[in-house]
mmCIF file of all heavy atoms in Angstrom:
data_model
loop_
_atom_site.group_PDB
_atom_site.id
_atom_site.type_symbol
_atom_site.label_atom_id
_atom_site.label_comp_id
_atom_site.label_asym_id
_atom_site.label_seq_id
_atom_site.Cartn_x
_atom_site.Cartn_y
_atom_site.Cartn_z
ATOM 1 N N ILE S 131 -30.140 6.069 -15.912
ATOM 2 C CA ILE S 131 -28.685 6.063 -16.096
ATOM 3 C C ILE S 131 -28.035 5.157 -15.057
ATOM 4 O O ILE S 131 -28.617 4.880 -14.007
ATOM 5 C CB ILE S 131 -28.095 7.482 -15.952
ATOM 6 C CG1 ILE S 131 -28.433 8.069 -14.572
ATOM 7 C CG2 ILE S 131 -28.576 8.383 -17.082
ATOM 8 C CD1 ILE S 131 -27.726 9.370 -14.261
ATOM 9 N N VAL S 132 -26.839 4.702 -15.361
ATOM 10 C CA VAL S 132 -25.987 4.083 -14.348
ATOM 11 C C VAL S 132 -25.228 5.217 -13.675
ATOM 12 O O VAL S 132 -24.644 6.074 -14.347
ATOM 13 C CB VAL S 132 -25.028 3.053 -14.973
ATOM 14 C CG1 VAL S 132 -24.067 2.506 -13.918
ATOM 15 C CG2 VAL S 132 -25.817 1.917 -15.625
ATOM 16 N N LEU S 133 -25.259 5.232 -12.352
ATOM 17 C CA LEU S 133 -24.714 6.356 -11.585
ATOM 18 C C LEU S 133 -23.748 5.854 -10.523
ATOM 19 O O LEU S 133 -24.072 4.948 -9.748
ATOM 20 C CB LEU S 133 -25.864 7.121 -10.919
ATOM 21 C CG LEU S 133 -25.503 8.301 -10.010
ATOM 22 C CD1 LEU S 133 -24.775 9.386 -10.793
ATOM 23 C CD2 LEU S 133 -26.770 8.875 -9.362
ATOM 24 N N VAL S 134 -22.556 6.466 -10.487
ATOM 25 C CA VAL S 134 -21.562 6.173 -9.453
ATOM 26 C C VAL S 134 -21.471 7.382 -8.533
ATOM 27 O O VAL S 134 -21.129 8.485 -8.968
ATOM 28 C CB VAL S 134 -20.179 5.868 -10.065
ATOM 29 C CG1 VAL S 134 -19.163 5.555 -8.962
ATOM 30 C CG2 VAL S 134 -20.274 4.700 -11.051
ATOM 31 N N GLY S 135 -21.805 7.183 -7.261
ATOM 32 C CA GLY S 135 -21.746 8.242 -6.262
ATOM 33 C C GLY S 135 -20.758 7.905 -5.168
ATOM 34 O O GLY S 135 -20.090 6.861 -5.201
ATOM 35 N N SER S 136 -20.658 8.787 -4.181
ATOM 36 C CA SER S 136 -19.671 8.621 -3.107
ATOM 37 C C SER S 136 -20.299 9.017 -1.780
ATOM 38 O O SER S 136 -20.938 10.067 -1.680
ATOM 39 C CB SER S 136 -18.440 9.488 -3.395
ATOM 40 O OG SER S 136 -17.483 9.381 -2.360
ATOM 41 N N ILE S 137 -20.106 8.179 -0.770
ATOM 42 C CA ILE S 137 -20.764 8.377 0.522
ATOM 43 C C ILE S 137 -19.774 8.143 1.657
ATOM 44 O O ILE S 137 -18.949 7.224 1.609
ATOM 45 C CB ILE S 137 -21.967 7.419 0.653
ATOM 46 C CG1 ILE S 137 -23.076 7.846 -0.315
ATOM 47 C CG2 ILE S 137 -22.492 7.355 2.080
ATOM 48 C CD1 ILE S 137 -24.248 6.924 -0.362
ATOM 49 N N PHE S 138 -19.844 8.991 2.674
ATOM 50 C CA PHE S 138 -19.163 8.740 3.948
ATOM 51 C C PHE S 138 -20.061 7.760 4.693
ATOM 52 O O PHE S 138 -21.086 8.131 5.247
ATOM 53 C CB PHE S 138 -18.995 10.056 4.700
ATOM 54 C CG PHE S 138 -18.284 9.955 6.026
ATOM 55 C CD1 PHE S 138 -17.465 8.889 6.360
ATOM 56 C CD2 PHE S 138 -18.442 10.977 6.971
ATOM 57 C CE1 PHE S 138 -16.816 8.814 7.583
ATOM 58 C CE2 PHE S 138 -17.797 10.921 8.196
ATOM 59 C CZ PHE S 138 -16.992 9.835 8.508
ATOM 60 N N GLU S 139 -19.665 6.499 4.666
ATOM 61 C CA GLU S 139 -20.540 5.415 5.139
ATOM 62 C C GLU S 139 -20.336 5.103 6.615
ATOM 63 O O GLU S 139 -19.210 4.908 7.068
ATOM 64 C CB GLU S 139 -20.288 4.144 4.325
ATOM 65 C CG GLU S 139 -21.170 2.976 4.767
ATOM 66 C CD GLU S 139 -20.741 1.629 4.213
ATOM 67 O OE1 GLU S 139 -19.707 1.562 3.515
ATOM 68 O OE2 GLU S 139 -21.436 0.630 4.493
ATOM 69 N N ARG S 140 -21.446 5.014 7.342
ATOM 70 C CA ARG S 140 -21.435 4.475 8.699
ATOM 71 C C ARG S 140 -21.851 3.014 8.615
ATOM 72 O O ARG S 140 -23.011 2.682 8.442
ATOM 73 C CB ARG S 140 -22.411 5.232 9.601
ATOM 74 C CG ARG S 140 -22.382 4.738 11.048
ATOM 75 C CD ARG S 140 -23.502 5.361 11.870
ATOM 76 N NE ARG S 140 -23.403 5.016 13.284
ATOM 77 C CZ ARG S 140 -23.826 3.865 13.822
ATOM 78 N NH1 ARG S 140 -24.388 2.934 13.042
ATOM 79 N NH2 ARG S 140 -23.686 3.632 15.114
ATOM 80 N N ARG S 141 -20.855 2.126 8.695
ATOM 81 C CA ARG S 141 -21.135 0.690 8.588
ATOM 82 C C ARG S 141 -21.683 0.134 9.891
ATOM 83 O O ARG S 141 -22.580 -0.698 9.907
ATOM 84 C CB ARG S 141 -19.859 -0.047 8.187
ATOM 85 C CG ARG S 141 -20.055 -1.501 7.818
ATOM 86 C CD ARG S 141 -18.750 -2.072 7.307
ATOM 87 N NE ARG S 141 -18.844 -3.453 6.883
ATOM 88 C CZ ARG S 141 -17.809 -4.175 6.462
ATOM 89 N NH1 ARG S 141 -16.604 -3.602 6.381
ATOM 90 N NH2 ARG S 141 -17.970 -5.429 6.097
ATOM 91 N N MET S 142 -21.110 0.600 10.983
ATOM 92 C CA MET S 142 -21.604 0.282 12.320
ATOM 93 C C MET S 142 -20.963 1.278 13.268
ATOM 94 O O MET S 142 -20.120 2.082 12.862
ATOM 95 C CB MET S 142 -21.251 -1.154 12.740
ATOM 96 C CG MET S 142 -19.759 -1.424 12.865
ATOM 97 S SD MET S 142 -19.363 -3.032 13.605
ATOM 98 C CE MET S 142 -19.945 -2.810 15.284
ATOM 99 N N ASN S 143 -21.351 1.257 14.518
ATOM 100 C CA ASN S 143 -20.774 2.161 15.502
ATOM 101 C C ASN S 143 -19.257 2.000 15.547
ATOM 102 O O ASN S 143 -18.751 0.931 15.868
ATOM 103 C CB ASN S 143 -21.384 1.884 16.878
ATOM 104 C CG ASN S 143 -20.928 2.883 17.923
ATOM 105 O OD1 ASN S 143 -20.557 3.998 17.588
ATOM 106 N ND2 ASN S 143 -20.947 2.480 19.183
ATOM 107 N N GLY S 144 -18.538 3.053 15.192
ATOM 108 C CA GLY S 144 -17.078 3.029 15.243
ATOM 109 C C GLY S 144 -16.402 2.548 13.981
ATOM 110 O O GLY S 144 -15.167 2.553 13.911
ATOM 111 N N VAL S 145 -17.164 2.124 12.969
ATOM 112 C CA VAL S 145 -16.575 1.663 11.710
ATOM 113 C C VAL S 145 -17.195 2.460 10.571
ATOM 114 O O VAL S 145 -18.396 2.338 10.292
ATOM 115 C CB VAL S 145 -16.796 0.156 11.482
ATOM 116 C CG1 VAL S 145 -16.196 -0.275 10.139
ATOM 117 C CG2 VAL S 145 -16.173 -0.652 12.615
ATOM 118 N N TYR S 146 -16.359 3.282 9.935
ATOM 119 C CA TYR S 146 -16.806 4.181 8.878
ATOM 120 C C TYR S 146 -15.933 3.962 7.647
ATOM 121 O O TYR S 146 -14.753 3.647 7.763
ATOM 122 C CB TYR S 146 -16.696 5.642 9.325
ATOM 123 C CG TYR S 146 -17.439 5.937 10.608
ATOM 124 C CD1 TYR S 146 -16.847 5.698 11.853
ATOM 125 C CD2 TYR S 146 -18.729 6.467 10.585
ATOM 126 C CE1 TYR S 146 -17.527 5.976 13.028
ATOM 127 C CE2 TYR S 146 -19.424 6.747 11.756
ATOM 128 C CZ TYR S 146 -18.812 6.495 12.978
ATOM 129 O OH TYR S 146 -19.483 6.764 14.148
ATOM 130 N N HIS S 147 -16.527 4.148 6.484
ATOM 131 C CA HIS S 147 -15.804 3.928 5.236
ATOM 132 C C HIS S 147 -16.001 5.088 4.271
ATOM 133 O O HIS S 147 -17.007 5.798 4.321
ATOM 134 C CB HIS S 147 -16.297 2.652 4.534
ATOM 135 C CG HIS S 147 -16.052 1.387 5.279
ATOM 136 N ND1 HIS S 147 -14.827 0.769 5.343
ATOM 137 C CD2 HIS S 147 -16.900 0.594 5.990
ATOM 138 C CE1 HIS S 147 -14.920 -0.339 6.060
ATOM 139 N NE2 HIS S 147 -16.174 -0.467 6.461
ATOM 140 N N ASN S 148 -15.058 5.205 3.355
ATOM 141 C CA ASN S 148 -15.164 6.080 2.188
ATOM 142 C C ASN S 148 -15.643 5.173 1.057
ATOM 143 O O ASN S 148 -14.865 4.390 0.510
ATOM 144 C CB ASN S 148 -13.797 6.694 1.885
ATOM 145 C CG ASN S 148 -13.832 7.718 0.783
ATOM 146 O OD1 ASN S 148 -14.665 7.669 -0.103
ATOM 147 N ND2 ASN S 148 -12.891 8.645 0.830
ATOM 148 N N THR S 149 -16.911 5.271 0.706
ATOM 149 C CA THR S 149 -17.560 4.236 -0.089
ATOM 150 C C THR S 149 -18.155 4.787 -1.378
ATOM 151 O O THR S 149 -18.903 5.766 -1.366
ATOM 152 C CB THR S 149 -18.678 3.567 0.740
ATOM 153 O OG1 THR S 149 -18.105 3.023 1.940
ATOM 154 C CG2 THR S 149 -19.358 2.457 -0.044
ATOM 155 N N ALA S 150 -17.820 4.136 -2.487
ATOM 156 C CA ALA S 150 -18.471 4.418 -3.762
ATOM 157 C C ALA S 150 -19.679 3.505 -3.903
ATOM 158 O O ALA S 150 -19.618 2.316 -3.568
ATOM 159 C CB ALA S 150 -17.499 4.188 -4.919
ATOM 160 N N VAL S 151 -20.783 4.072 -4.378
ATOM 161 C CA VAL S 151 -22.022 3.320 -4.581
ATOM 162 C C VAL S 151 -22.378 3.354 -6.062
ATOM 163 O O VAL S 151 -22.193 4.374 -6.729
ATOM 164 C CB VAL S 151 -23.176 3.893 -3.733
ATOM 165 C CG1 VAL S 151 -22.983 3.559 -2.264
ATOM 166 C CG2 VAL S 151 -23.296 5.413 -3.896
ATOM 167 N N VAL S 152 -22.881 2.245 -6.570
ATOM 168 C CA VAL S 152 -23.215 2.146 -7.996
ATOM 169 C C VAL S 152 -24.680 1.762 -8.134
ATOM 170 O O VAL S 152 -25.116 0.738 -7.586
ATOM 171 C CB VAL S 152 -22.321 1.116 -8.711
ATOM 172 C CG1 VAL S 152 -22.689 1.029 -10.196
ATOM 173 C CG2 VAL S 152 -20.850 1.466 -8.541
ATOM 174 N N PHE S 153 -25.419 2.581 -8.876
ATOM 175 C CA PHE S 153 -26.845 2.357 -9.090
ATOM 176 C C PHE S 153 -27.107 2.037 -10.556
ATOM 177 O O PHE S 153 -26.551 2.670 -11.460
ATOM 178 C CB PHE S 153 -27.655 3.590 -8.677
ATOM 179 C CG PHE S 153 -27.523 3.907 -7.218
ATOM 180 C CD1 PHE S 153 -26.579 4.835 -6.778
ATOM 181 C CD2 PHE S 153 -28.306 3.261 -6.273
ATOM 182 C CE1 PHE S 153 -26.432 5.109 -5.429
ATOM 183 C CE2 PHE S 153 -28.155 3.530 -4.925
ATOM 184 C CZ PHE S 153 -27.222 4.446 -4.495
ATOM 185 N N GLU S 154 -27.991 1.072 -10.754
ATOM 186 C CA GLU S 154 -28.387 0.675 -12.101
ATOM 187 C C GLU S 154 -29.442 1.633 -12.644
ATOM 188 O O GLU S 154 -29.951 2.503 -11.935
ATOM 189 C CB GLU S 154 -28.899 -0.771 -12.056
ATOM 190 C CG GLU S 154 -29.169 -1.459 -13.368
ATOM 191 C CD GLU S 154 -28.057 -1.338 -14.392
ATOM 192 O OE1 GLU S 154 -27.150 -2.205 -14.433
ATOM 193 O OE2 GLU S 154 -28.126 -0.363 -15.178
ATOM 194 N N ARG S 155 -29.808 1.457 -13.908
ATOM 195 C CA ARG S 155 -30.747 2.351 -14.572
ATOM 196 C C ARG S 155 -32.145 2.326 -13.964
ATOM 197 O O ARG S 155 -32.911 3.266 -14.148
ATOM 198 C CB ARG S 155 -30.829 2.012 -16.069
ATOM 199 C CG ARG S 155 -29.544 2.358 -16.817
ATOM 200 C CD ARG S 155 -29.639 2.054 -18.291
ATOM 201 N NE ARG S 155 -29.716 0.622 -18.529
ATOM 202 C CZ ARG S 155 -29.762 0.080 -19.751
ATOM 203 N NH1 ARG S 155 -29.741 0.867 -20.825
ATOM 204 N NH2 ARG S 155 -29.813 -1.221 -19.909
ATOM 205 N N ASP S 156 -32.467 1.252 -13.249
ATOM 206 C CA ASP S 156 -33.763 1.202 -12.564
ATOM 207 C C ASP S 156 -33.683 1.730 -11.132
ATOM 208 O O ASP S 156 -34.663 1.671 -10.387
ATOM 209 C CB ASP S 156 -34.320 -0.223 -12.561
ATOM 210 C CG ASP S 156 -33.413 -1.211 -11.818
ATOM 211 O OD1 ASP S 156 -32.343 -0.787 -11.291
ATOM 212 O OD2 ASP S 156 -33.767 -2.398 -11.756
ATOM 213 N N GLY S 157 -32.528 2.254 -10.746
ATOM 214 C CA GLY S 157 -32.344 2.802 -9.410
ATOM 215 C C GLY S 157 -31.870 1.805 -8.375
ATOM 216 O O GLY S 157 -31.608 2.188 -7.230
ATOM 217 N N SER S 158 -31.737 0.537 -8.741
ATOM 218 C CA SER S 158 -31.288 -0.460 -7.770
ATOM 219 C C SER S 158 -29.798 -0.301 -7.478
ATOM 220 O O SER S 158 -29.010 0.056 -8.355
ATOM 221 C CB SER S 158 -31.572 -1.872 -8.287
ATOM 222 O OG SER S 158 -30.890 -2.100 -9.512
ATOM 223 N N LEU S 159 -29.431 -0.569 -6.234
ATOM 224 C CA LEU S 159 -28.026 -0.555 -5.827
ATOM 225 C C LEU S 159 -27.404 -1.877 -6.269
ATOM 226 O O LEU S 159 -27.786 -2.951 -5.774
ATOM 227 C CB LEU S 159 -27.906 -0.384 -4.313
ATOM 228 C CG LEU S 159 -26.492 -0.395 -3.737
ATOM 229 C CD1 LEU S 159 -25.690 0.804 -4.207
ATOM 230 C CD2 LEU S 159 -26.537 -0.430 -2.202
#
């Protein structure tokens, strides 16, 4: 399936995001 999830992302020390992630049917981001 194509899947849209949501992650509290740590991009680097001190920089964080509210990030949606999208995965293809083969599991690739």
Side-chain angles (χ1 to χ4, degrees):
I131 58 171
V132 175
L133 177 62
V134 180
S136 178
I137 290 175
F138 181 20
E139 180 193 3
R140 183 189 186 279
R141 190 174 182 183
M142 64 171 293
N143 186 25
V145 179
Y146 304 84
H147 296 283
N148 186 332
T149 302
V151 287
V152 180
F153 297 95
E154 189 48 90
R155 291 181 292 182
D156 62 0
S158 60
L159 178 66

